[in-house]
């Protein structure tokens, strides 16, 4: 076969390239099959191990995601090596060069080393796990993944934050143990405090049967005295992540109980004083 005056051995080219193409296709197909199967096998193994060792669900998810990541990266590295071998590229010098380059990068990439070391201790010390509510790196949210280099935290507005592990100087984990449901309610100076406390106690007694509460809620009494209000406090301890819903329901029940009993929740008052021409003072009260 001749193209632009250059002769090509088409049969020789096909006989040389076709086996390489077939091998590459087979490798890619094998990778696309092995990767999901391996991930499912890891997930199943972690589930079985978690039940045997009675691991917490969060801990099991954390180890599962980490194991899947390591497996995927390892499988990808093997695929690249085999693809290079398929096109007859000698990988021995490349691996040796990669080792030397990797050593140089290890000395130079201090941030990467810091990420890896911090991630290692995060996992080792169990400072946070998947599905925990944390404050970390200046962000509040739910942990979705703890990796060797980055930690993923899903904010309550739906934003997914990727936090380099080296920036994690401290972890505030809000999911360890029972959570606090705290409600402060205001009454006016004209209302009877004992009567208001009695109404609050009735609301608290109803919520003691709520499965979300592990302890309480209890009426603590007068919390503070403000310029135009007396602040009463309710406190209980709930299951993890149930505190906000419990607080909302408590506030609604207290408002309904106060309305039924005629107890006033104060609102800001403003006094305006006007002078007429005869210098006589008139006072007019308006409510905002």
């Amino acid at each position: 076969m001749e193209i632009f005056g250059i002769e090509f051995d088409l049969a020789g080219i096909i006989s040389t390239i076709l086996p390489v193409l077939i091998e590459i296709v087979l490798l890619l197909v094998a990778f696309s099959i092995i990767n999901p199967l391996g991930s499912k096998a890891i997930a199943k193994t972690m589930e079985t191990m978690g039940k045997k060792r009675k691991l917490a669900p969060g801990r099991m998810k954390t180890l599962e995601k980490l194991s899947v990541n390591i497996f995927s990266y390892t499988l990808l590295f093997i695929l690249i090596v085999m693809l290079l071998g398929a096109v007859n590229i000698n990988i021995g010098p490349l691996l040796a060069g990669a080792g030397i380059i990797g050593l140089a990068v290890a000395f130079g990439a201090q941030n990467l080393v810091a990420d890896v070391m911090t991630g290692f201790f995060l996992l080792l010390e169990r400072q946070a796990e998947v599905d925990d509510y944390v404050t970390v790196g200046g962000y509040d949210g739910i942990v979705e993944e703890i990796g060797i280099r980055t930690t993923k935290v899903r904010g309550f507005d739906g934003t997914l934050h990727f936090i380099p592990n080296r920036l994690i100087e401290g972890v505030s984990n809000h999911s360890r143990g029972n959570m606090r449901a705290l409600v402060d309610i205001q009454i006016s100076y004209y209302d009877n405090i004992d009567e208001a406390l009695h109404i609050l106690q009735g609301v608290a007694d109803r919520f003691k049967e709520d499965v979300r509460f592990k302890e309480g809620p209890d009426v603590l009494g007068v919390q503070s005295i403000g310029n135009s209000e007396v602040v009463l406090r309710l406190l209980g301890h709930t299951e993890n992540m149930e505190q906000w819903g419990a607080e909302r329901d408590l506030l609604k029940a207290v408002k309904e109980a106060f309305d039924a009993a005629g107890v006033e929740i104060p609102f800001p008052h403003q006094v305006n004083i006007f002078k007429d021409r005869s210098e006589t003072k008139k006072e007019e009260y308006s409510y905002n």
Side-chain angles (χ1 to χ4, degrees):
M1 178 179 180
E2 183 176 340
I3 301 177
F4 300 113
I6 301 174
E7 292 188 0
F8 293 92
D9 184 2
L10 186 59
I13 293 175
I14 293 176
S15 63
T16 302
I17 294 179
L18 187 59
V20 175
L21 290 176
I22 293 175
E23 187 174 355
I24 291 174
V25 171
L26 290 176
L27 287 173
L28 293 175
V29 171
F31 176 81
S32 63
I33 295 175
I34 294 174
N35 191 33
L37 289 178
S39 299
K40 290 181 180 179
I42 290 173
K44 187 65 177 179
T45 302
M46 295 302 301
E47 182 180 356
T48 303
M49 184 184 72
K51 290 180 180 179
K52 288 183 178 179
R53 298 188 179 183
K54 298 181 179 180
L55 296 178
R59 183 62 174 174
M60 189 171 64
K61 288 182 180 179
T62 302
L63 295 175
E64 177 188 332
K65 288 181 178 290
L66 179 63
S67 300
V68 169
N69 283 338
I70 294 175
F71 170 76
S72 297
Y73 287 132
T74 303
L75 192 62
L76 181 61
F77 175 77
I78 294 173
L79 174 66
I80 293 173
V81 171
M82 296 184 71
L83 287 175
L84 292 175
V87 295
N88 295 323
I89 295 178
N90 190 358
I91 63 174
L94 287 177
L95 291 177
I100 296 173
I101 295 173
L103 184 62
V105 171
F107 283 108
Q110 297 181 5
N111 289 340
L112 179 60
V113 175
D115 287 336
V116 173
M117 292 301 297
T118 305
F120 172 77
F121 284 108
L122 277 173
L123 294 167
L124 180 65
E125 298 173 359
R126 301 179 64 179
Q127 298 178 23
E129 293 174 347
V130 173
D131 292 337
D132 281 355
Y133 164 39
V134 299
T135 301
V136 60
Y139 299 100
D140 286 349
I142 308 299
V143 177
E144 288 203 352
E145 184 178 323
I146 300 176
I148 292 297
R149 197 184 68 82
T150 60
T151 296
K152 299 178 184 178
V153 175
R154 178 76 65 178
F156 293 110
D157 62 351
T159 304
L160 182 60
H161 304 288
F162 293 82
I163 307 170
N165 289 335
R166 68 179 181 277
L167 300 182
I168 301 176
E169 297 181 353
V171 178
S172 298
N173 194 320
H174 308 289
S175 298
R176 300 292 168 87
N178 295 330
M179 304 305 293
R180 187 177 70 171
L182 179 66
V183 170
D184 285 338
I185 195 75
Q186 299 174 355
I187 63 172
S188 70
Y189 280 112
Y190 304 105
D191 289 306
N192 185 288
I193 293 179
D194 290 333
E195 180 185 353
L197 291 175
H198 178 73
I199 295 171
L200 286 180
Q201 188 60 57
V203 174
D205 290 341
R206 294 205 313 268
F207 275 86
K208 288 183 186 294
E209 305 299 324
D210 193 315
V211 295
R212 295 173 295 182
F213 282 92
K214 306 301 292 183
E215 180 182 340
D218 298 303
V219 179
L220 300 185
V222 178
Q223 175 64 21
S224 64
I225 296 177
N227 293 329
S228 60
E229 75 283 341
V230 178
V231 181
L232 309 180
R233 173 164 288 184
L234 278 169
L235 177 64
H237 291 87
T238 70
E239 292 278 4
N240 180 32
M241 303 301 293
E242 296 288 348
Q243 65 271 24
W244 298 297
E247 286 178 354
R248 289 191 292 268
D249 291 343
L250 269 174
L251 283 170
K252 179 176 181 292
V254 169
K255 178 63 169 63
E256 291 173 347
F258 276 4
D259 287 345
V263 177
E264 179 185 350
I265 296 177
F267 51 90
H269 292 66
Q270 179 178 342
V271 178
N272 299 320
I273 301 176
F274 300 93
K275 288 185 178 181
D276 61 12
R277 294 179 181 178
S278 62
E279 300 296 331
T280 302
K281 294 183 179 180
K282 295 183 179 180
E283 294 187 357
E284 179 179 325
Y285 294 86
S286 62
Y287 301 92
N288 296 328

